[in-house]
């Protein structure tokens, strides 16, 4: 029979190694919106593209699903600058099927989403950056964030200056279900093609803190102490 001391030593060695084995790479594909297909966005320009789920045309945002009618607006140094890289997204988009550079009847709130394969019960750390659009009322700057359909955050606000961004990072811990879990961002304010900005989205598996292993070891030693007392009696 393996002694409690042997188990404790094994756990002390294996626990940090297990923590290193937890994948910490970003599970979100194209979280900073730098990769898109079928178009070029030069500095000072913007365009509307579809998600990978749409079949209307060939302009799409890699890695993301999007509202099939309204798509997602990508901006390059227009009404602010990106938090990471060159491109950032706006979800208060335009109506149209995105043929060429033609967008008709400005109108509509849109959404983007991405599904990731998770482990059941595992904690994942979600991070993203949000900024209101400059000189736009807070009622038009809403972006809602959902994990498996559950609202995590309603982001809104206002900032002065038509070319200003005021990026702020938001972070949440979410739990995997052991299947394909869905992260979704959706515009929720006034639908007028002027809305909040989104950039630098990441989702990584949370690594247990060293204190967690210390508690595990303390619990194991406590069990051993109780067992020894019973044997002595």
């Amino acid at each position: 029979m393996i002694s409690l001391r042997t188990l404790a030593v094994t756990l002390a060695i294996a626990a940090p190694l297990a923590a290193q084995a937890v994948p910490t790479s970003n599970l979100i594909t194209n979280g900073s919106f730098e990769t898109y297909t079928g178009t070029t966005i030069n500095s000072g320009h913007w365009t509307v593209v579809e998600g990978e789920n749409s079949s209307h045309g060939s302009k799409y945002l890699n890695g993301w699903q999007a509202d099939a009618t309204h798509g997602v607006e990508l901006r390059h140094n227009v009404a602010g600058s990106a938090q990471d890289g060159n491109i950032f997204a706006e979800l208060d988009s335009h109506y149209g099927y995105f043929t060429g550079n033609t967008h008709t009847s400005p109108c509509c709130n849109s959404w983007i989403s991405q599904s990731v394969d998770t482990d059941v019960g595992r904690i994942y750390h979600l991070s993203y950056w949000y900024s209101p659009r400059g000189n736009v009322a807070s009622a038009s700057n809403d972006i809602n964030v959902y994990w498996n359909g559950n609202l995590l955050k309603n982001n809104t606000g206002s900032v002065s200056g038509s070319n200003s961004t005021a990026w702020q990072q938001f972070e949440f811990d979410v739990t995997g279900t052991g299947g394909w879990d869905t992260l979704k961002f959706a515009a929720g304010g006034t639908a007028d093609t002027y809305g909040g900005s989104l950039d630098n989205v990441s989702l990584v598996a949370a690594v247990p803190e060293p204190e967690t292993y210390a508690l595990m070891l303390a619990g194991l030693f406590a069990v051993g102490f109780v067992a020894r007392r019973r044997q002595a009696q």
Side-chain angles (χ1 to χ4, degrees):
M1 180 180 292
I2 300 176
S3 68
L4 287 172
R5 178 175 295 180
T6 302
L7 286 174
V9 172
T10 302
L11 179 60
I13 296 173
L17 295 177
Q20 295 175 11
V22 174
T24 56
S25 59
N26 189 3
L27 300 179
I28 297 297
T29 300
N30 195 22
S32 292
F33 312 114
E34 300 295 313
T35 306
Y36 44 87
T37 297
T39 188
T40 300
I41 310 173
N42 295 318
S43 182
H45 293 77
W46 63 273
T47 192
V48 176
V49 298
E50 302 173 280
E52 287 191 339
N53 56 308
S54 183
S55 60
H56 293 141
S58 58
K59 292 170 54 177
Y60 61 88
L61 179 63
N62 295 68
W64 292 90
Q65 309 286 297
D67 184 298
T69 302
H70 310 132
V72 54
E73 182 177 321
L74 300 180
R75 304 206 302 263
H76 185 173
N77 289 328
V78 174
S81 57
Q83 192 281 326
D84 182 57
N86 296 313
I87 305 298
F88 59 110
E90 180 186 330
L91 301 179
D92 191 347
S93 191
H94 298 250
Y95 179 86
Y97 289 129
F98 320 111
T99 54
N101 291 317
T102 301
H103 315 293
T104 62
S105 302
C107 70
C108 304
N109 287 333
S110 187
W111 56 264
I112 58 173
S113 71
Q114 195 166 140
S115 295
V116 295
D117 190 11
T118 64
D119 296 327
V120 61
R122 174 163 286 176
I123 303 300
Y124 295 84
H125 187 71
L126 168 65
S127 170
Y128 64 90
W129 291 75
Y130 162 84
S131 173
R133 182 164 179 157
N135 286 352
V136 171
S138 59
S140 187
N141 273 321
D142 286 20
I143 293 181
N144 296 321
V145 186
Y146 300 89
W147 178 254
N148 290 331
N150 298 309
L151 180 66
L152 295 177
K153 178 70 176 178
N154 167 249
N155 297 280
T156 190
S158 60
V159 61
S160 300
S162 59
N163 289 316
S164 298
T165 40
W167 292 107
Q168 183 177 357
Q169 184 181 24
F170 292 87
E171 299 176 280
F172 298 91
D173 284 336
V174 296
T175 304
T177 64
W180 289 93
D181 293 321
T182 300
L183 174 65
K184 181 178 181 179
F185 297 91
T190 305
D192 55 8
T193 75
Y194 297 100
S197 301
L198 179 69
D199 203 3
N200 198 1
V201 181
S202 68
L203 183 74
V204 299
V207 177
E209 298 291 336
E211 291 82 359
T212 302
Y213 297 120
L215 288 173
M216 292 170 61
L217 287 172
L220 188 57
F221 279 118
V223 170
F225 177 75
V226 172
R228 286 179 179 274
R229 288 196 61 183
R230 287 180 177 176
Q231 288 175 0
Q233 293 174 358

